[in-house]
Amino acid sequence: MKKGAAILCLLVLLLTGCADKDRDMEKAITLRSKMLQSGVAFTASVTADYGDRQYHFAMECEADPKGNLTFRVKEPETLEGISGKISEAGGKLTFDDHALAFDPMAGGQLSPVTGPWILVKTLQGGYLSSCAKEGERLRLAVDDSYRDDALHLDIWLDDAEIPEKSEIFWQGRRLLSIEVEDFRFL
């Protein structure tokens, strides 16, 4: 009898854990669905890590349901006002007397200014390999493609199930950290 009760308790724990994982995955899929139906806007504070040096900047971003992103740099002051557009077809920068010139990262797949676009694009259609609770936050592990040299993103969702932080990795090394603020659907 005790053995049967122990097995029953273990089974209930396992099933409860599976149900939680299913709910977590459902939250990730719901976010993806919303982003494919509606545009989003947010502020991204980006830290680019080149190993020997780091760059920090903040930008206002807006993306449409197709993943096309526009941005405007707001910090640091020396780069304020630089704006641009990024899509699958490429990108365009506009500026007066200033330039954003960053060395390419991840074998040319990434630059610090394209990080928010990679975040949006990956949330909309990347390969979701896992999602699990980390404390009170839901952490998504998503690859931007099925290629061998895919960018890997860890994305944390807040209590409202919207992105609040992302880290972008390539070949096991973190290249970008993005703090997301004021994320909203348009």
Side-chain angles (χ1 to χ4, degrees):
M1 183 72 168
K2 288 182 182 179
K3 200 183 234 184
I7 291 173
L8 182 61
C9 285
L10 182 60
L11 185 58
V12 167
L13 286 173
L14 286 173
L15 291 175
T16 303
C18 290
D20 286 345
K21 288 182 182 185
D22 288 346
R23 278 191 292 263
D24 292 343
M25 188 65 75
E26 189 176 306
K27 291 174 185 177
I29 291 169
T30 298
L31 174 61
R32 174 172 286 175
S33 177
K34 284 182 182 178
M35 290 185 67
L36 290 169
Q37 294 172 15
S38 172
V40 296
F42 58 95
T43 300
S45 296
V46 179
T47 300
D49 185 353
Y50 282 90
D52 59 340
R53 63 197 186 285
Q54 289 188 344
Y55 296 103
H56 307 279
F57 60 96
M59 51 205 286
E60 296 291 334
C61 303
E62 190 172 306
D64 67 20
K66 294 179 181 177
N68 302 312
L69 184 125
T70 59
F71 70 88
R72 187 183 67 73
V73 177
K74 61 183 227 170
E75 293 176 10
E77 272 186 44
T78 55
L79 300 176
E80 186 177 10
I82 294 175
S83 62
K85 296 178 181 184
I86 305 170
S87 69
E88 286 286 342
K92 179 182 178 183
L93 291 175
T94 58
F95 50 88
D96 293 320
D97 300 327
H98 294 80
L100 279 178
F102 295 108
D103 293 332
M105 306 172 97
Q109 297 182 68
L110 178 69
S111 78
V113 76
T114 62
W117 175 73
I118 294 289
L119 172 62
V120 168
K121 180 181 95 128
T122 302
L123 279 168
Q124 289 178 329
Y127 170 64
L128 180 61
S129 58
S130 72
C131 86
K133 286 282 191 181
E134 272 189 9
E136 294 300 313
R137 295 182 178 137
L138 184 61
R139 182 181 147 268
L140 311 178
V142 191
D143 290 342
D144 78 324
S145 72
Y146 293 101
R147 297 185 321 248
D148 289 337
D149 65 343
L151 296 171
H152 173 81
L153 282 74
D154 284 340
I155 304 165
W156 288 266
L157 306 182
D158 67 11
D159 293 339
E161 299 165 9
I162 58 174
E164 70 175 3
K165 179 181 178 182
S166 178
E167 294 181 340
I168 301 177
F169 296 84
W170 186 62
Q171 298 181 343
R173 183 174 174 275
R174 184 181 64 206
L175 301 176
L176 294 182
S177 296
I178 304 171
E179 297 291 330
V180 178
E181 296 176 357
D182 195 27
F183 187 95
R184 61 203 179 278
F185 292 96
L186 303 176

